[in-house]
Amino acid sequence: MPIDRRPLREQIREELLGRLDRGDFAAGTDINEVALAAELGVSRTPLREALITLAGEGVLESTQGRGFRFAPVSRKEFRELCEIVAGLEALALDRSDPAYLREIAPELLRLARDFPDRIAEQHVIERHDDEWHDLLVSGCRNERLIDLITSVKAGLRRYAHLLAGDDTPLEREAAEHCQVAELLMAGDRAAAGQALRDNWVNGMERMMSRIPAS
Amino acid sequence: MPIDRRPLREQIREELLGRLDRGDFAAGTDINEVALAAELGVSRTPLREALITLAGEGVLESTQGRGFRFAPVSRKEFRELCEIVAGLEALALDRSDPAYLREIAPELLRLARDFPDRIAEQHVIERHDDEWHDLLVSGCRNERLIDLITSVKAGLRRYAHLLAGDDTPLEREAAEHCQVAELLMAGDRAAAGQALRDNWVNGMERMMSRIPAS
DNA sequence: ACTATGAATTCTGAATACAAAACACAGGAG
DNA sequence: CTCCTGTGTTTTGTATTCAGAATTCATAGT
């Protein structure tokens, strides 16, 4: 097997994002660099590099002399991020090859119908949802756009653990995904894009109440 | 006056972007950290932090063990970036307060008509163009979106010096800006958004020939 | 009792030092 | 002559150290 030869800062970044998913960090709290570096078993240098990357993605904030802190969550920001991702994914759909979209539409439909039931664990559901969205935009030739979507979605990870346990909207989510897939199968990319945007907006509204008011 | 108390990495980032505008760096070339740090009069640590930030914005690329290099320019990437910014600015317009847009429309129109003539220096033209676009999206309440647009536009700076001296499309650019302003004054935000997207696409097509084929 | 001041402490920001990987080039085997 | 290999050099990646800013806490003055 090829051993892991990526820079430490990337591994650290992913580790921190993983912990974020699990809700290990309280939003709004300051980060103690020496403590966190010791905990991760690395020095402050690559840790700070990872923190700077995350700050660039909006996951963290930094203030001169006071270091980094996890950006506090807010309904306003959640709404902003969802709006952006919705716009970007719709754009990606628009810049995709229509033939390819028709090709993957059946798989998208299958995934949407296989949506895990409410018994499933939260991270399984998230994984499944991510998989669907990743496949959806996989036909986009605009590589920078794909990277950008990934980056913006990193900011949404801070909200993941807040949304855990709310299984009511699962059917809605699955149904909306089905609709997008069916529109793609019919070849109506514009309508699919609109349905996708609606899916994001609806999902956002469904989740909004679970975010503490700032 | 308040003295400059921003972190070095930010000042370095701006200095590098400024040099990029002036075409001081050849695209695709490797960066020697010690040499550049010495030239800037700083140590490698904040320099690397700035480089990592710029890599996150797509201005630089990094490879394990080989450091950073200015990402090579290509028509493909230029097209991708323009598509993204077009989509994001149109989204920003869509998320703006219509009343505010009508309010600033006259100023937008005035700016568009005051477009500097072809005698003006390149950076004056760019400054003017930036000012117009900044004002256009200034009514957007989505702060994250504004930041994102700024970040993606940083990637476009690598192309600025390539586009210098091409004064033919100036009237086209000005005319298209006028049209957007007039549509906004009429209160037709959707049409203005479409005109804005067209402006980006047209501008991109006009510039495309000046970018060396990869 | 409360505020202001200042020293001690903690932490970040930046510089330097060290380790390891990539590169360049010379020399030898085929 | 070509290709491989090994050694020396350069450059990056990471760790450590140093300096200075922010915070805390105690104390003195009102």
Side-chain angles (χ1 to χ4, degrees):
Chain A
M1 85 180 194
I3 58 178
D4 197 355
R5 297 233 329 85
R6 289 177 315 152
L8 270 183
R9 60 174 178 274
E10 289 185 17
Q11 303 182 47
I12 294 172
R13 170 178 173 277
E14 289 181 14
E15 172 64 23
L16 292 180
L17 282 177
R19 295 193 180 193
L20 212 54
D21 286 341
R22 282 179 274 138
D24 287 2
F25 299 113
T29 57
D30 286 8
I31 289 177
N32 186 322
E33 296 179 6
V34 286
L36 187 53
E39 190 181 328
L40 296 171
V42 296
S43 80
R44 278 181 60 211
T45 309
L47 170 61
R48 277 177 62 85
E49 293 180 345
L51 296 178
I52 287 167
T53 304
L54 290 170
E57 295 174 323
V59 177
L60 301 176
E61 293 177 347
S62 76
T63 323
Q64 165 73 258
R66 292 178 49 172
F68 299 88
R69 82 185 60 80
F70 285 96
V73 298
S74 73
R75 294 182 181 176
K76 174 176 190 298
E77 195 214 23
F78 184 66
R79 181 191 306 275
E80 292 187 357
L81 288 173
C82 287
E83 278 179 7
I84 293 172
V85 178
L88 290 178
E89 282 199 352
L91 182 60
L93 211 58
D94 188 59
R95 310 314 303 179
S96 293
D97 179 23
Y100 176 84
L101 288 177
R102 260 194 303 275
E103 200 175 301
I104 63 169
E107 175 70 5
L108 283 170
L109 191 60
R110 193 188 64 75
L111 278 173
R113 288 193 173 133
D114 274 2
F115 219 86
D117 50 23
R118 52 187 59 190
I119 310 292
E121 290 181 42
Q122 179 67 14
H123 74 267
V124 173
I125 297 173
E126 287 168 12
R127 182 73 55 123
H128 193 274
D129 199 57
D130 289 344
E131 194 184 345
W132 188 85
H133 284 275
D134 286 347
L135 177 60
L136 181 69
V137 299
S138 65
C140 177
R141 298 279 187 280
N142 190 326
E143 296 170 33
R144 294 300 292 263
L145 181 54
I146 299 298
D147 291 345
L148 192 61
I149 291 173
T150 305
S151 173
V152 177
K153 279 186 177 174
L156 275 176
R157 294 233 221 164
R158 283 180 297 134
Y159 294 85
H161 73 280
L162 291 174
L163 278 33
D166 184 8
D167 42 22
T168 317
L170 272 186
E171 292 84 7
R172 291 283 308 272
E173 191 79 7
E176 288 172 2
H177 283 191
C178 284
Q179 197 196 349
V180 172
E182 283 161 0
L183 285 167
L184 283 179
M185 225 172 316
D188 192 345
R189 214 168 35 159
Q194 188 55 50
L196 180 63
R197 271 193 293 267
D198 291 345
N199 170 237
W200 274 102
V201 172
N202 291 337
M204 178 186 76
E205 300 292 353
R206 288 195 287 268
M207 299 302 182
M208 197 61 84
S209 63
R210 302 182 67 85
I211 299 170
S214 60
Chain B
M1 87 181 194
I3 58 179
D4 196 357
R5 297 241 316 91
R6 290 179 310 154
L8 270 184
R9 59 173 178 275
E10 289 183 18
Q11 303 182 46
I12 294 172
R13 170 179 172 276
E14 288 180 15
E15 171 65 23
L16 292 179
L17 282 177
R19 295 192 180 195
L20 211 55
D21 286 341
R22 282 180 274 136
D24 287 3
F25 298 113
T29 57
D30 286 9
I31 288 177
N32 186 320
E33 295 179 7
V34 287
L36 187 53
E39 191 181 327
L40 295 171
V42 297
S43 79
R44 280 180 59 212
T45 308
L47 170 60
R48 278 177 61 85
E49 294 179 345
L51 296 180
I52 287 167
T53 303
L54 289 171
E57 295 174 321
V59 178
L60 300 176
E61 293 177 346
S62 77
T63 325
Q64 164 75 258
R66 291 177 46 171
F68 298 88
R69 82 184 65 80
F70 286 94
V73 298
S74 72
R75 295 182 181 175
K76 175 176 190 298
E77 195 214 23
F78 185 66
R79 181 190 307 275
E80 292 187 355
L81 288 174
C82 286
E83 278 179 6
I84 293 171
V85 178
L88 290 178
E89 280 199 353
L91 181 60
L93 211 58
D94 188 60
R95 310 315 304 181
S96 293
D97 178 23
Y100 176 83
L101 288 177
R102 260 195 302 276
E103 200 174 301
I104 63 169
E107 175 70 5
L108 284 169
L109 191 59
R110 194 188 64 73
L111 277 173
R113 288 194 173 130
D114 275 3
F115 220 85
D117 51 23
R118 52 186 59 187
I119 311 291
E121 289 182 43
Q122 179 66 17
H123 74 266
V124 173
I125 298 173
E126 286 168 13
R127 183 71 55 122
H128 193 275
D129 198 58
D130 289 343
E131 195 184 343
W132 188 86
H133 284 275
D134 287 348
L135 177 60
L136 181 70
V137 299
S138 65
C140 177
R141 297 278 185 283
N142 189 326
E143 296 170 33
R144 295 300 292 262
L145 180 54
I146 299 297
D147 291 346
L148 192 61
I149 291 174
T150 304
S151 173
V152 177
K153 277 186 178 174
L156 274 176
R157 294 233 223 165
R158 286 180 295 134
Y159 293 86
H161 73 281
L162 291 174
L163 278 33
D166 184 9
D167 42 20
T168 317
L170 273 186
E171 293 83 8
R172 291 283 309 272
E173 191 78 6
E176 287 172 3
H177 283 191
C178 284
Q179 197 196 349
V180 172
E182 284 161 0
L183 285 167
L184 283 179
M185 224 173 316
D188 193 346
R189 215 170 34 161
Q194 187 56 49
L196 180 64
R197 271 193 293 268
D198 291 344
N199 171 237
W200 274 102
V201 172
N202 291 337
M204 178 186 75
E205 300 291 354
R206 288 196 286 268
M207 298 303 181
M208 197 61 86
S209 62
R210 302 183 67 86
I211 298 168
S214 59

